[in-house]
Amino acid sequence: MDILNQFPELSAEWLMRGEGPMVHGEETPAQAAPSTYPGIPYAVSVDANGEERISVWGIKAQGGYMLARAQGQEAPEALETISVPGYKGRSVRAFEVAGDSMQPIIHQGDLVIATYTERLDLIQPKHVYVVITDELVTVKRLRGPVKKNEPLELLSDNRYYDPYLLPQKDVREIWQVQALLTRSIPANRDEAYDRMLVLMEMLAQDSQQLRSLLLDVAARYDVRLVGENG
């Protein structure tokens, strides 16, 4: 073999069969471990006609669901099912939200309507998802794209909560939030702006320049400053 005589460092196995390392003493790259994400939901609710229904998983029911899944038992029945136009015939589920980590968009007690994510590479960066492990059901934004065997980074809308990493091996199900059923309808859509303007005015009692800026902002949002005449 002239090639091997000229390049003795080359492996005959690699040259003839394409197997093993190209160079003697070179280690074969280890194959990446397969993803542990199952790709199918643990349980699907259907009606008498075999059509999928949206099962509603409240906070109390979520604990039983996680326990049953971890122990390989049959999933408990959801307390109720609902129907939402546009989501018929798909793996869709409703989850009750606990905590304030996704405020001001999603509030405690809201229901998120979510569709099942079959593969991790389908995750859309910064979109909202329901992430299920053996120990928790949480609603978060996911920083993406998600690469094989790398942890998922979970983000909260409430800046009080820091992002955190979740190993892929701990993830059991991921559901992309598509719709929101909420009881938190603000009485005054400009309430936040009103509070901000009042605070800024208190801090700028003697500043005519800042007051001019406040008047401009107030005009944009059609609100009045405290003490403004007329």
Side-chain angles (χ1 to χ4, degrees):
M1 300 281 293
D2 293 338
I3 295 179
L4 292 178
N5 290 333
Q6 286 187 322
F7 304 97
E9 68 274 11
L10 291 180
S11 165
E13 284 290 318
W14 174 84
L15 186 64
M16 300 294 293
R17 302 180 182 178
E19 299 177 356
M22 180 179 69
V23 179
H24 290 298
E26 186 181 68
E27 295 183 359
T28 304
Q31 293 184 348
S35 174
T36 57
Y37 186 65
I40 55 173
Y42 187 55
V44 176
S45 297
V46 296
D47 60 17
N49 298 321
E51 295 184 350
E52 288 190 31
R53 299 277 294 174
I54 301 177
S55 55
V56 179
W57 294 90
I59 295 174
K60 292 182 179 180
Q62 291 171 14
Y65 180 85
M66 290 185 293
L67 180 62
R69 175 162 195 139
Q71 296 180 352
Q73 301 173 355
E74 183 177 351
E77 290 291 332
L79 297 180
E80 59 181 317
T81 61
I82 60 175
S83 178
V84 177
Y87 294 99
K88 182 179 180 180
R90 302 170 63 183
S91 292
V92 186
R93 210 161 277 178
F95 297 90
E96 184 180 1
V97 177
D100 62 353
S101 67
M102 293 302 289
Q103 289 185 7
I105 305 300
I106 303 175
H107 296 262
Q108 166 91 16
D110 287 352
L111 285 180
V112 291
I113 311 300
T115 54
Y116 189 70
T117 301
E118 296 181 352
R119 303 196 317 269
L120 297 180
D121 61 343
L122 297 176
I123 290 175
Q124 301 181 55
K126 300 297 183 67
H127 283 230
V128 180
Y129 290 84
V130 179
V131 180
I132 300 177
T133 71
D134 288 337
E135 299 179 349
L136 63 85
V137 176
T138 187
V139 179
K140 298 289 182 185
R141 295 188 190 275
L142 297 183
R143 189 190 301 277
V146 178
K147 298 180 181 180
K148 184 179 293 185
N149 300 317
E150 290 189 355
L152 281 68
E153 186 173 2
L154 280 61
L155 312 173
S156 300
D157 281 357
N158 188 338
R159 297 300 178 87
Y160 180 80
Y161 296 89
D162 293 328
Y164 65 92
L165 298 178
L166 181 67
Q168 277 194 31
K169 64 181 180 61
D170 294 340
V171 178
R172 298 296 174 258
E173 296 179 11
I174 297 179
W175 300 75
Q176 184 175 10
V177 174
Q178 306 288 349
L180 176 67
L181 298 179
T182 183
R183 304 181 183 92
S184 303
I185 306 298
N188 177 10
R189 67 182 180 87
D190 293 322
E191 181 178 359
Y193 297 111
D194 292 346
R195 292 179 179 177
M196 177 190 70
L197 292 173
V198 169
L199 178 60
M200 292 179 67
E201 188 175 23
M202 292 173 61
L203 296 174
Q205 295 175 356
D206 300 324
S207 174
Q208 294 301 319
Q209 181 180 7
L210 184 54
R211 182 171 178 82
S212 176
L213 293 174
L214 286 171
L215 289 171
D216 181 61
V217 173
R220 293 184 185 182
Y221 293 101
D222 194 26
V223 295
R224 297 176 59 184
L225 298 179
V226 175
E228 185 178 357
N229 295 328

